């Protein structure tokens, strides 16, 4: 606000607090602040109200329900925490306060930095590469578990494995999962499982906890042991929202230890149902093939004839052919006989003797002495114009012949 306005305008308290809030919010972007929790109150609305203090000062804080629902712990009196917040002013009372967006236990910032640094290093070396991850066996005979023998996670895994498939053998590689030198002991248990090579799948698990509780599974020695393990590995560390380096290196990540057990083996009830379905399909296919084969056999059986029956059929066919041949021969002979009779009748009718026998005669001119040696010189008389009176003729009768001399000739007109 310009100075001349500030000097002449009399502001209300509401205006003053609003201007102060705007100045504070514009001057302080989102930042981190650490301190000790004091006067913590969870309101009925779900909002958190508390103060952060150090040896010299304190500041009021509010964390609304929509933000604190993402925090996995509830601050208590005296807890050292780090809060990411913005500065504001609660205008109704004129209280200077912080609006907190996220809180974590003090020191987690360094852990997150170490986590991201190791994660980037191992990713660069290819330890997270999906191309090198092994497939988890579908039906393992033996499953190994790397965890604390006193952990609730182990009981959850064993209960789940027994429920899903009680026939699977389980081998436990006991190791502390929290405390000093736990990371080296976890890595040692993984190496022992690799060396003994007696399991088909190896589950590495523990229950949920804070980032400090799960930190052993963010150590490089554990990551190297998992990467060197020739056995397919499943990481089941913490809860669904927890992620560790172990999750990225393992061949498969499970949200919880129970989920890891479910991923490690198939449910025997599902397998039984699959077997029943396969059996039904197999029976159906076998029955179908048997029916098809039976029909084919019936068809072939109808076509199949015994040798004796074949001989009998051939004999019958020969008899039929012989009968047909006899009929054809007789018919052919009768046809030729009829034809021969017709030809004989025709020849008989054309025989000159037959004509002569009916009273006709053949007349030739008489052959001269000079043509005695040439019978063809005798001329057949068929017309009266061929002869003249005094012509000499030879007359042939049916029986015998005669010579005659023409007395007169009567020519047709």
């Amino acid at each position: 606000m310009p100075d001349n306005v500030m000097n002449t305008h009399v502001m209300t308290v509401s205006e003053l607090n609003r201007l102060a809030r705007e100045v504070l919010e514009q001057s302080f972007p989102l930042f981190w602040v650490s301190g000790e929790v004091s006067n913590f109150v969870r309101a009925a609305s779900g909002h958190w109200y508390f103060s952060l203090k150090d040896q010299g000062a304190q500041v009021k804080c509010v964390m609304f329900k929509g933000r604190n629902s993402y925090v996995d712990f509830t601050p208590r009196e005296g807890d050292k925490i780090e809060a990411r917040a913005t500065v504001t002013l609660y205008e109704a009372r004129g209280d200077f306060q912080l609006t907190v967006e996220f809180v974590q236990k003090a020191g987690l910032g360094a852990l997150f930095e170490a986590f991201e640094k190791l994660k980037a290093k191992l990713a660069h070396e290819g330890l997270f590469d999906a191309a090198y991850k092994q497939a988890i066996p579908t039906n393992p005979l033996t499953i190994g578990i790397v965890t604390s023998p006193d952990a609730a996670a182990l009981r959850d895994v064993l209960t789940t494995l027994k429920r899903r498939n009680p026939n699977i053998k389980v081998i436990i590689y006991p190791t502390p999962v929290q405390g000093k030198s736990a990371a080296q002991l976890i890595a040692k248990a993984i190496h022992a499982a690799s060396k003994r090579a007696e399991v088909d799948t190896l589950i590495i698990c523990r229950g949920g906890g804070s980032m400090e509780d799960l930190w052993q599974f963010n150590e490089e020695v554990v990551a190297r042991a998992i990467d060197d393990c020739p056995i397919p590995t499943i990481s089941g560390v913490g809860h669904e929202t927890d992620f560790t380096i172990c999750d990225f290196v393992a061949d498969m990540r499970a949200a919880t230890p129970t989920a890891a057990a479910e991923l490690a083996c198939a449910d025997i009830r599902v397998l039984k149902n699959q077997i029943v379905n396969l059996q039904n399909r197999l029976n159906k296919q076998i029955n179908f093939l048997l029916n098809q084969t039976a029909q084919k056999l019936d068809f072939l059986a109808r076509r199949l004839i015994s040798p004796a029956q074949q001989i009998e059929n051939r004999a019958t066919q020969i008899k039929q052919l012989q009968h047909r041949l006899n009929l054809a021969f007789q018919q052919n002979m009768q046809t030729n006989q009829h034809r021969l009779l017709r030809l004989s009748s025709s020849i008989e009718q054309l025989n000159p003797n037959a004509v002569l026998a009916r009273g006709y005669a053949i007349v030739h001119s008489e052959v001269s002495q000079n043509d005695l040696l040439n019978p063809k010189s005798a001329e057949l008389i068929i017309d009266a114009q061929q002869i003249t009176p005094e012509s000499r003729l030879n007359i042939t009768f049916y029986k015998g012949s005669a010579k005659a001399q023409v007395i007169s000739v009567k020519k047709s007109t």
Side-chain angles (χ1 to χ4, degrees):
M1 184 176 292
D3 293 340
N4 58 349
V5 176
M6 293 287 292
N7 293 333
T8 59
H9 178 67
V10 180
M11 293 186 294
T12 64
V13 175
S14 296
E15 291 175 334
L16 175 63
N17 286 353
R18 186 177 68 255
L19 287 174
R21 178 181 61 79
E22 292 175 354
V23 171
L24 288 172
E25 291 178 353
Q26 293 173 3
S27 302
F28 291 89
L30 197 63
F31 64 97
W32 285 93
V33 62
S34 64
E36 181 182 323
V37 175
S38 175
N39 302 321
F40 182 85
V41 175
R42 179 195 291 271
S45 61
H47 306 325
W48 291 352
Y49 298 96
F50 58 94
S51 297
L52 282 180
K53 65 179 183 179
D54 56 19
Q55 294 179 352
Q58 68 176 5
V59 61
K60 292 182 178 181
C61 303
V62 59
M63 190 171 190
F64 297 110
K65 179 181 179 181
R67 304 305 303 177
N68 65 40
S69 61
Y70 295 100
V71 180
D72 58 359
F73 72 99
T74 301
R76 295 178 296 180
E77 292 290 327
D79 283 352
K80 297 287 187 178
I81 66 169
E82 296 172 348
R84 195 173 190 203
T86 57
V87 175
T88 187
L89 185 77
Y90 183 50
E91 297 179 24
R93 290 198 302 266
D95 290 339
F96 173 80
Q97 67 179 22
L98 302 181
T99 301
V100 179
E101 299 293 328
F102 180 76
V103 296
Q104 64 185 25
K105 293 182 178 181
L108 289 185
L111 292 179
F112 275 121
E113 184 177 353
F115 175 86
E116 293 295 335
K117 184 176 180 180
L118 179 60
K119 180 181 176 183
K121 175 185 175 181
L122 298 180
H124 180 71
E125 294 182 16
L127 269 69
F128 305 161
D129 196 338
Y132 300 112
K133 297 198 180 290
Q134 304 181 74
I136 305 301
T138 305
N139 298 303
L141 299 178
T142 308
I143 293 178
I145 305 174
V146 175
T147 192
S148 171
D150 301 324
L154 177 59
R155 293 192 295 272
D156 294 339
V157 170
L158 293 176
T159 301
T160 302
L161 291 177
K162 184 176 181 181
R163 171 177 53 84
R164 291 176 67 84
N165 195 337
N167 299 320
I168 292 179
K169 182 180 178 181
V170 177
I171 297 178
I172 300 173
Y173 302 93
T175 176
V177 293
Q178 189 173 345
K180 188 177 181 180
S181 301
Q184 286 73 18
L185 295 174
I186 294 171
K188 184 178 179 180
I190 296 173
H191 286 309
S194 301
K195 184 177 180 180
R196 289 162 61 176
E198 56 193 348
V199 298
D200 302 310
T201 304
L202 186 64
I203 298 176
I204 305 161
C205 65
R206 68 148 288 163
S210 64
M211 190 171 188
E212 297 99 321
D213 296 335
L214 303 179
W215 190 253
Q216 306 301 327
F217 295 90
N218 289 321
E219 295 287 353
E220 184 173 357
V221 63
V222 175
R224 299 290 182 186
I226 295 174
D227 183 61
D228 293 337
C229 182
I231 304 169
T233 55
I234 301 177
S235 172
V237 178
H239 297 306
E240 187 172 356
T241 56
D242 298 322
F243 280 89
T244 63
I245 297 296
C246 177
D247 295 331
F248 295 106
V249 182
D251 295 309
M252 180 174 288
R253 185 249 177 187
T256 63
T258 300
E262 292 176 347
L263 293 173
C265 70
D267 193 332
I268 193 170
R269 293 170 297 182
V270 176
L271 294 177
K272 287 181 178 178
N273 290 334
Q274 291 178 349
I275 291 174
V276 170
N277 292 333
L278 290 174
Q279 184 178 8
N280 292 335
R281 290 175 57 188
L282 181 61
N283 290 336
K284 184 177 180 180
Q285 186 67 16
I286 290 175
N287 290 331
F288 174 77
L289 293 176
L290 287 175
N291 292 334
Q292 290 289 315
T293 305
Q295 291 182 1
K296 185 176 181 180
L297 184 61
D298 290 340
F299 175 74
L300 294 176
R302 289 193 296 267
R303 297 178 59 186
L304 182 63
I305 302 175
S306 66
Q309 183 66 37
Q310 290 184 3
I311 293 174
E312 184 178 351
N313 291 343
R314 293 295 183 182
T316 302
Q317 291 179 358
I318 292 173
K319 290 180 180 180
Q320 292 175 350
L321 291 174
Q322 185 178 10
H323 178 68
R324 290 171 58 186
L325 181 62
N326 292 334
L327 290 177
F329 178 76
Q330 292 177 2
Q331 184 177 4
N332 190 30
M333 186 173 64
Q334 291 177 356
T335 302
N336 291 331
Q337 287 177 346
H338 292 158
R339 183 181 179 188
L340 181 59
L341 291 175
R342 289 196 302 271
L343 291 175
S344 298
S345 176
S346 299
I347 292 173
E348 185 65 27
Q349 291 176 0
L350 295 175
N351 187 357
N353 291 330
V355 177
L356 296 176
R358 294 199 299 270
Y360 294 93
I362 301 175
V363 180
H364 290 88
S365 62
E366 185 179 12
V367 180
S368 62
Q369 291 295 329
N370 297 330
D371 293 331
L372 288 176
L373 297 177
N374 185 13
K376 293 184 177 180
S377 61
E379 183 180 6
L380 179 64
I381 305 302
I382 60 173
D383 189 351
Q385 293 182 356
Q386 294 179 259
I387 60 176
T388 60
E390 300 298 332
S391 294
R392 292 183 180 274
L393 303 175
N394 287 326
I395 302 173
T396 302
F397 302 100
Y398 175 69
K399 291 182 179 182
S401 62
K403 293 181 181 292
Q405 185 176 4
V406 178
I407 299 177
S408 63
V409 176
K410 183 179 181 180
K411 299 180 182 178
S412 62
T413 57

